[in-house]
Amino acid sequence: MKLAETVTFGGSSLDRAAHLRGDDEAIANLLQAHNTGVMPIWRGKPLVAGETRDKPGWLAPAHPIFEYADGAPIFLGLDDGVARFVRDVSGWEPAEEAATLGAFLDPSEQHHPAAPADHLFSELRGVMNMLNPRDAELIATAKAVSSWHETHGFCAKCGTKSEIAMAGWQRDCAACGGHHFPRTDPVVIMLITRGNSVLMGRSPGWPEGMYSLLAGFVEPGETIEAAVRRETLEEAGITVGQVDYLASQPWPFPASLMMGCLGQATSEEIKIDPDEIEDALWVTREEMLETFAGNNPKMKPARQGAIAHFILLNWLRDTLD
């Protein structure tokens, strides 16, 4: 797909400078540089800046907010030669805590008193469309790696507490010598078509009217094509023949790689598994055009920024090649 890397979180060509990760002296020097930026993340929410929340909130490495960090800075890479890091500051307790924390889309924002007035912790789903490709890749990387450290603080081999190594891209266990690396979970998300229609589904607990393309995790020992066929059959009872790859998207909620595929349905009758999804239906191209225009009272368009929206939009435009 020629437009594949224009998807949100993709295509910025960030210099990750992996050769510097094991050089403690180089990392220390970067943290002393006057233009180095460190982005704090608070309970999964990155610090963003500007009236429209359209850029990361980079702070100096010695900013007071990092007194709440319980881990070393994680090196993200070089942004046009400028070093970028992230640190988790979830130990900070704001004066007021929002009841919506942890919701599917948390609309609340938090401000640390030592940060500039327009620097706020915001839910990434709500601001991802405001970010340019480079900033989107930096924040996605920061959020995914930070989430991994949050849930993988102990050695999976012996259970001993592990330590951050390689500038945040590894955890080492002093007890057994084990090395652990950030994980990415492969997920297939599929545009299943039959004639002029596309298969859409919704999961329990989603906002009213929200439908999307079917998706599911790839299992060990399984190909992408097999996962597309299995997940579609399990969730909606639809059999799939030919499968073609379209595009991929890093999805930092918390750390997935969405692999978008086109599948040709070989059956039509839908039989949902209620343990998997709440509903599924065929939607014609004309109905989807009305949905994207906001004229479908029963269905909302897929969320902008998500690969489902990207694939559906290109399907409607006939630009999937």
Side-chain angles (χ1 to χ4, degrees):
M1 184 177 175
K2 295 175 183 177
L3 299 175
E5 290 189 274
T6 62
V7 68
T8 302
F9 303 131
S12 89
S13 301
L14 172 67
D15 179 5
R16 298 183 172 232
H19 64 285
L20 297 177
R21 294 173 184 171
D23 189 334
D24 293 342
E25 182 178 355
I27 295 297
N29 288 336
L30 288 174
L31 286 167
Q32 295 296 320
H34 74 279
N35 60 349
T36 289
V38 182
M39 179 177 59
I41 282 189
W42 179 78
R43 301 181 189 179
K45 300 168 77 169
L47 188 73
V48 293
E51 289 187 8
T52 58
R53 318 292 186 258
D54 61 349
K55 52 184 175 291
W58 301 114
L59 301 176
H63 190 278
I65 197 171
F66 297 119
E67 294 176 4
Y68 298 95
D70 60 0
I74 299 168
F75 179 55
L76 301 175
L78 300 176
D79 178 12
D80 293 331
V82 178
R84 300 301 193 193
F85 292 80
V86 62
R87 295 189 79 176
D88 191 290
V89 296
S90 295
W92 170 58
E93 294 288 348
E96 296 183 6
E97 187 167 306
T100 54
L101 282 177
F104 181 81
L105 179 57
D106 173 17
S108 71
E109 295 179 312
Q110 288 73 35
H111 176 255
H112 187 276
D118 68 345
H119 283 48
L120 299 165
F121 291 106
S122 298
E123 164 61 45
L124 181 54
R125 283 187 177 92
V127 302
M128 59 187 178
N129 291 321
M130 306 296 183
L131 304 168
N132 65 39
R134 173 58 52 79
D135 290 341
E137 182 175 351
L138 282 162
I139 289 184
T141 303
K143 182 172 168 60
V145 179
S146 295
S147 296
W148 175 73
H149 282 287
E150 182 182 0
T151 57
H152 290 75
F154 294 85
C155 178
K157 291 183 178 180
C158 72
T160 302
K161 183 173 176 56
S162 57
E163 300 296 332
I164 291 179
M166 294 293 289
W169 290 89
Q170 187 171 309
R171 293 192 72 94
D172 293 341
C173 177
C176 72
H179 303 296
H180 308 281
F181 307 92
R183 61 177 292 169
T184 296
D185 299 318
V187 178
V188 288
I189 182 165
M190 38 276 190
L191 181 81
I192 304 299
T193 61
R194 184 167 178 82
N196 192 47
S197 298
V198 61
L199 184 63
M200 301 290 287
R202 63 173 277 116
S203 294
W206 278 6
E208 184 178 355
M210 179 178 175
Y211 281 77
S212 187
L213 301 177
L214 301 188
F217 290 100
V218 180
E219 295 185 347
E222 189 173 45
T223 65
I224 293 174
E225 294 84 354
V228 168
R229 297 185 183 105
R230 175 184 56 78
E231 284 288 343
T232 306
L233 183 62
E234 288 178 356
E235 294 185 351
I238 299 295
T239 56
V240 175
Q242 181 174 332
V243 174
D244 296 297
Y245 170 77
L246 294 174
S248 66
Q249 180 187 46
W251 191 242
F253 303 99
S256 297
L257 178 63
M258 309 295 291
M259 296 175 289
C261 297
L262 171 64
Q264 304 296 330
T266 57
S267 66
E268 187 172 353
E269 183 181 359
I270 295 173
K271 297 178 181 179
I272 69 165
D273 180 349
D275 292 330
E276 293 275 349
I277 60 175
E278 183 178 277
D279 189 25
L281 69 166
W282 292 105
V283 180
T284 67
R285 184 181 295 265
E286 292 75 19
E287 291 170 334
M288 189 59 69
L289 282 168
E290 288 298 302
T291 299
F292 267 65
N295 298 327
N296 187 340
K298 297 182 180 180
M299 182 182 298
K300 297 177 181 178
R303 184 179 301 280
Q304 289 189 26
I307 193 171
H309 183 281
F310 176 80
I311 290 174
L312 285 165
L313 186 61
N314 280 282
W315 174 64
L316 290 173
R317 292 172 172 171
D318 289 323
T319 51
L320 288 176
D321 56 354

